[in-house]
Amino acid sequence: AINQTILKEFILVGFSAYPHVQSFLSVVFFCLYILTLAGNLTIMGLTWVDRSLHTPMYLFLSALSFSETCYTLTIIPKMLVDLLDKDRRISVTGCGLQMCFFLGLGGTNCIILTLMGYDRFLAICNPLRYPLLMTNVACGQLVASAWAGGFLVSFIEIALVFRVSFCMPNLIRHFFCHMRAVVRLSCTDSDLTEFIVTLMSVFGLVGTFLLIFLTYVFILSSVLKIPSAEGKQKAFSTCASHLTVVIIHFGFASIVYLKPEASGGDDTLIAVPYTVITPFLSPIIFSLRNKDMKNAFRKVMRKTVALKK
């Protein structure tokens, strides 16, 4: 008979399967995490301080930075503690909360990236109506709906995953409460639940990616009609960083779901790119490619130097 005791906690196996590299990984992940926080806080700070960046494009960017900061906060600090500490327990409630925020913020990031594409589409394809359509208020409402949409899907997935009771062994083969790793611990047959929640995630990812793809088809056809090469380049340069981040974000996220289930249950290493590397690259790509961001940064630096004198 299966041990039917009600579980109060799980143990995150995480990187303990790779003991010889744990301390090395903790240093690497810690450095990447600090740089990720610095990058995102810089983008939010500059957008806040510099009046010239109070435009929808940058409001969306700082909204993305904010949700990505929250997204990494849900996973990485706990992961770093677990890498150094032998006690890798997490309560069932804590696990539910972590999963809820991870899924909700992951969804929010996807929707905000889609909205950024939509913003570029309006700016390039409807330049005359753009200021009327995309006001800062409209931008705020869209960001709020991105959070609402992301967390709505998350709540449904959580309800599906946690409606069952969990049985021993209580080992989560992951470094955070990943949906599929937790579903597999349920006492009853979890194949249907796993299929439904995976389908919801895949549907969300593919849906938002197709919307972005469509907006870029329209943007491309619009840009190609611009007569001057300079105009073409200017239009494209505002899209380049967004497109790069979209490809990295959806590319890394899709690996997890496109991986055939039969190839073993360990998703730990495959999850590193979209939990650690994507959030790290995103602020770098958005700010390095960007003249306005660099100018805002220079302005702030000048003021700081002037104040010290």
Side-chain angles (χ1 to χ4, degrees), residues 71-108:
Y71 172 84
T72 50
L73 265 173
T74 11
I75 294 165
I76 300 181
K78 169 80 178 136
M79 177 178 85
L80 290 171
V81 170
D82 288 349
L83 272 169
L84 300 170
D85 193 9
K86 294 288 167 275
D87 173 37
R88 299 190 177 79
R89 289 177 299 178
I90 186 167
S91 67
V92 173
T93 318
C95 192
L97 280 169
Q98 189 188 43
M99 196 189 299
C100 174
F101 281 107
F102 168 73
L103 292 169
L105 292 159
T108 304

Side-chain angles (χ1 to χ4, degrees), residues 157-199:
E157 290 181 320
I158 295 292
L160 286 166
V161 172
F162 283 91
R163 71 198 165 123
V164 294
S165 46
F166 299 99
C167 284
M168 297 296 280
N170 59 347
L171 300 174
I172 297 175
R173 301 202 169 283
H174 218 302
F175 58 84
F176 69 101
C177 285
H178 191 272
M179 194 165 55
R180 288 194 306 191
V182 174
V183 166
R184 288 173 190 155
L185 303 182
S186 74
C187 299
T188 46
D189 181 33
S190 61
D191 288 351
L192 181 63
T193 309
E194 190 176 338
F195 175 71
I196 294 169
V197 290
T198 303
L199 194 69

Side-chain angles (χ1 to χ4, degrees), residues 229-284:
E230 197 184 317
K232 279 195 179 82
Q233 165 138 42
K234 194 181 170 209
F236 261 134
S237 67
T238 60
C239 299
S241 47
H242 176 250
L243 200 52
T244 313
V245 170
V246 165
I247 291 165
I248 294 171
H249 178 99
F250 287 96
F252 281 157
S254 62
I255 298 171
V256 184
Y257 295 106
L258 297 175
K259 182 186 76 97
E261 280 307 305
S263 64
D266 191 9
D267 289 343
T268 310
L269 293 176
I270 288 183
V272 170
Y274 70 88
T275 49
V276 182
I277 299 168
T278 307
F280 164 68
L281 290 175
S282 175
I284 294 176

Side-chain angles (χ1 to χ4, degrees), residues 17-150:
Y18 314 98
H20 46 289
V21 291
Q22 273 185 290
S23 44
F24 168 71
L25 286 177
S26 63
V27 173
V28 173
F29 291 157
F30 179 73
C31 295
L32 287 175
Y33 182 54
I34 293 298
L35 292 168
T36 304
L37 278 180
N40 282 319
L41 290 171
T42 304
I43 289 176
M44 289 189 280
L46 289 177
T47 311
W48 182 263
V49 172
D50 196 324
R51 301 291 314 213
S52 68
L53 297 180
H54 289 199
T55 61
M57 181 170 153
Y58 292 105
L59 292 176
F60 280 126
L61 180 55
S62 51
L64 181 70
S65 287
F66 180 67
S67 67
E68 288 223 311
T69 302
C70 298
Y71 172 84
T72 50
L73 265 173
T74 11
I75 294 165
I76 300 181
K78 169 80 178 136
M79 177 178 85
L80 290 171
V81 170
D82 288 349
L83 272 169
L84 300 170
D85 193 9
K86 294 288 167 275
D87 173 37
R88 299 190 177 79
R89 289 177 299 178
I90 186 167
S91 67
V92 173
T93 318
C95 192
L97 280 169
Q98 189 188 43
M99 196 189 299
C100 174
F101 281 107
F102 168 73
L103 292 169
L105 292 159
T108 304
N109 288 341
C110 286
I111 300 171
I112 292 177
L113 280 170
T114 312
L115 292 172
M116 290 170 89
Y118 174 64
D119 174 63
R120 294 298 81 218
F121 159 73
L122 281 183
I124 291 169
C125 302
N126 274 335
L128 298 175
R129 295 189 57 207
Y130 175 72
L132 301 169
L133 293 169
M134 191 58 81
T135 58
N136 288 355
V137 174
C139 175
Q141 288 166 339
L142 287 169
V143 170
S145 65
W147 279 76

